Amino acid sequence: MTGAAPAPAPAAGLRATARIRAAADGRGGTALPLLAGEGPLALRRTRATRPEAGVVLVGAMSAPLGGDHLTVEAVAGPGAHLALGSAAATLALPGRGGEPARYDVSLTLEEGASVRWLPEPLVSVRGSDLRVRTRVRLAPTARLLLREEQVLGRSGEAPGLLRSRLGVTRDGRPLLDQELACGPGAPGGWDGPAGLAGHRALGQLLVVDPAFAGAPPAAAVLGEFAAVTPLAGPAVLVTALAPDALRLRELLDSARATYGW
Amino acid sequence: MSLAALLVLADGRFPAGGHAHSGGAEAACKAGRIHDAATLEDFCRGRLHTAGLTAAGLAAAAALGLDPAGLDAAADARTPSPALRTAGRRLGRQLLRAARATWPSPELDALAAAFPRGAHQPVVLGLTARSAGLGPDGAAQVAAYESVGGPATATVRLLGLDPFEASGVLARLAPDLDAVAARAVAAALRARTDGTDALPAASSPLLEIAAEVHADWPVRLFAS
């Protein structure tokens, strides 16, 4: 840890990792043999309906600040079912040294496991610089429901720089790999007619379900700025742009009611 | 690298079927998001740094000789829109026909045998560049240029935009084109040791959404 430094070290950010392991308890439920938060990444068990175990990330979310490196690692063992959420929105804030912050999420789903990763929105605050990396590895029989919501700036505020990559593999093969860069300092055109076109909230809902192999959901458009796209594997991705976080959530909630669980 | 071969491959008259595709410009014109040279330039810059960079990375990697099947799977994962996956494979099939007639090679024959329904266009483009004696830099340059040349040409037809203005847009993008090609080549070199994860995956949600909206139209001028 960096906390032992004798003098204030503005360049050294905070490093924290939250680790979760879910395992089938053999009685039709899911146990949590590992539930270890750290620093601003505190973990709480929540009431969940069997066979699912519920975990929520809580804490004074004054992080990530520039220079911080936060990591969430969750493993759902064979036949385990995990619902993972967050208590509040995550604010990406500027650091003192101007260096980027990192937020890594790693989800591993073993045979027959399911994970619902439904965090609250990520808000990119003016002056911040955050790199998000989400990696999901699924066994062929695993099921995933994943939501990502990104909001550019608090109400009426200009955004920071946000770079986010979502990579999902299934049985070791790439299923989805997408990288988004927006805000001041992002490559040109990010807010233009081939970019966000002035929208300030964007989100994705990904559902991976082996049952889709036989009957994949059909492609569909949900108005002018949202679409349902079946992927090249048993999965469907809903992508939406919206003027604000509220409208975005409405769109993704209705998609979740149709395709998720 | 043969500059002449690069010119032949990048020539809009090379019979690879690209003229039937607008690269999202038709949907953007209809929605009013492209309405003049300035908005076309903004559109092209955004497409170049997302879909263009991703295509250039795949093309450069194919030109370096990375496994085409792995690259094709990487292209699928980078293309959520089924309309764009279909368009990409159709363009790949058409390019492969032209390439096998122009620069015959056992590698192109093997690609055609492995992907009877067409491999993704950037993968075919990279192997075509390789057969034409071009390196990853040539392949990346062509892929990057195609990502903006298509929309610029289409917008001339869609809006009646002055062709001089469209060419001016492309000329102003030259530094961005060079930078994107260089990034793509650097990533492709890393992918030789680190796998396809090292390739760019830059994406534009709006281009994916608009491609699905466009595919729903009963009548359209361009296939995508």
Side-chain angles (χ1 to χ4, degrees):
Chain A
M1 291 302 295
T2 55
L14 170 144
R15 296 177 73 87
T17 301
R19 292 185 177 85
I20 301 146
R21 183 166 177 93
D25 67 6
R27 288 170 283 122
T30 297
L32 296 169
L34 175 64
L35 192 64
E38 185 180 16
L41 293 174
L43 298 172
R44 296 283 178 273
R45 193 184 298 252
T46 60
R47 216 147 42 125
T49 44
R50 285 164 71 88
E52 216 170 42
V55 174
V56 65
L57 278 159
V58 294
M61 270 305 192
S62 56
L65 296 163
D68 289 355
H69 185 177
L70 306 182
T71 305
V72 176
E73 292 174 359
V75 178
H81 303 286
L82 176 66
L84 193 54
S86 66
T90 298
L91 291 182
L93 297 167
R96 281 172 294 176
E99 65 276 48
R102 288 173 59 190
Y103 198 128
D104 294 332
V105 176
S106 162
L107 307 175
T108 303
L109 286 69
E110 296 176 4
E111 292 289 352
S114 75
V115 169
R116 293 194 289 158
W117 169 233
L118 299 166
E120 294 305 304
L122 171 67
V123 183
S124 172
V125 168
R126 180 178 178 178
S128 65
D129 180 355
L130 176 65
R131 297 171 193 197
V132 182
R133 187 80 162 88
T134 304
R135 285 189 179 88
V136 189
R137 284 173 287 263
L138 293 116
T141 51
R143 291 197 306 154
L144 171 73
L145 173 62
L146 177 150
R147 179 179 69 208
E148 273 191 354
E149 293 168 317
Q150 288 141 350
V151 181
L152 276 64
R154 289 167 292 200
S155 184
E157 177 190 57
L161 173 57
L162 177 62
R163 285 171 282 197
S164 175
R165 185 159 180 173
L166 169 63
V168 181
T169 62
R170 182 171 174 271
D171 202 12
R173 291 172 49 85
L175 176 65
L176 178 67
D177 199 341
Q178 288 205 291
E179 188 168 17
L180 180 90
C182 51
W190 66 269
D191 199 22
L196 299 181
H199 292 85
R200 282 295 168 263
L202 66 151
Q204 308 198 96
L205 186 85
L206 173 67
V207 186
V208 185
D209 191 333
F212 290 159
V221 294
L222 310 169
E224 201 185 343
F225 295 107
V228 179
T229 52
L231 302 183
V236 65
L237 179 74
V238 180
T239 306
L241 299 177
D244 56 52
L246 201 63
R247 300 283 297 282
L248 179 67
R249 178 61 65 88
E250 285 172 8
L251 265 163
L252 295 182
D253 272 352
S254 80
R256 181 179 156 196
T258 308
Y259 304 101
W261 73 94
Chain B
M1 169 169 96
S2 158
L3 276 179
L6 183 67
L7 290 172
V8 173
L9 181 56
D11 191 333
R13 288 159 295 190
F14 189 76
H19 62 275
H21 296 260
S22 79
E26 185 170 25
C29 286
K30 174 81 174 292
R33 293 192 288 271
I34 299 177
H35 51 82
D36 58 10
T39 45
L40 171 64
E41 183 169 340
D42 209 10
F43 179 91
C44 287
R45 189 167 272 117
R47 185 164 196 259
L48 171 64
H49 286 290
T50 54
L53 173 64
T54 298
L58 291 163
L64 279 171
L66 271 73
D67 170 37
L71 293 173
D72 192 74
D76 259 347
R78 286 159 174 73
T79 319
S81 156
L84 291 181
R85 287 199 301 276
T86 300
R89 289 191 184 284
R90 186 173 297 150
L91 281 166
R93 195 170 60 233
Q94 289 171 335
L95 173 58
L96 189 53
R97 267 175 57 197
R100 291 174 79 191
T102 312
W103 295 287
S105 81
E107 282 184 342
L108 291 177
D109 294 344
L111 186 67
F115 292 93
R117 290 169 55 226
H120 277 282
Q121 196 269 0
V123 181
V124 180
L125 177 62
L127 274 184
T128 301
R130 192 173 159 85
S131 299
L134 297 167
D137 43 354
Q141 286 280 358
V142 175
Y145 180 67
E146 281 180 349
S147 76
V148 294
T153 308
T155 300
V156 170
R157 290 168 63 187
L158 288 160
L159 294 183
L161 185 76
D162 182 345
F164 292 171
E165 289 204 67
S167 290
V169 164
L170 294 177
R172 283 192 293 279
L173 287 170
D176 287 54
L177 284 160
D178 290 339
V180 161
R183 268 187 76 186
V185 171
L189 290 169
R190 282 197 304 278
R192 285 196 300 192
T193 49
D194 299 351
T196 55
D197 268 8
L199 295 175
S203 60
S204 159
L206 184 51
L207 287 179
E208 301 281 334
I209 294 165
E212 293 300 317
V213 173
H214 183 258
D216 260 7
W217 295 0
V219 181
R220 50 189 192 260
L221 194 55
F222 291 92
S224 73

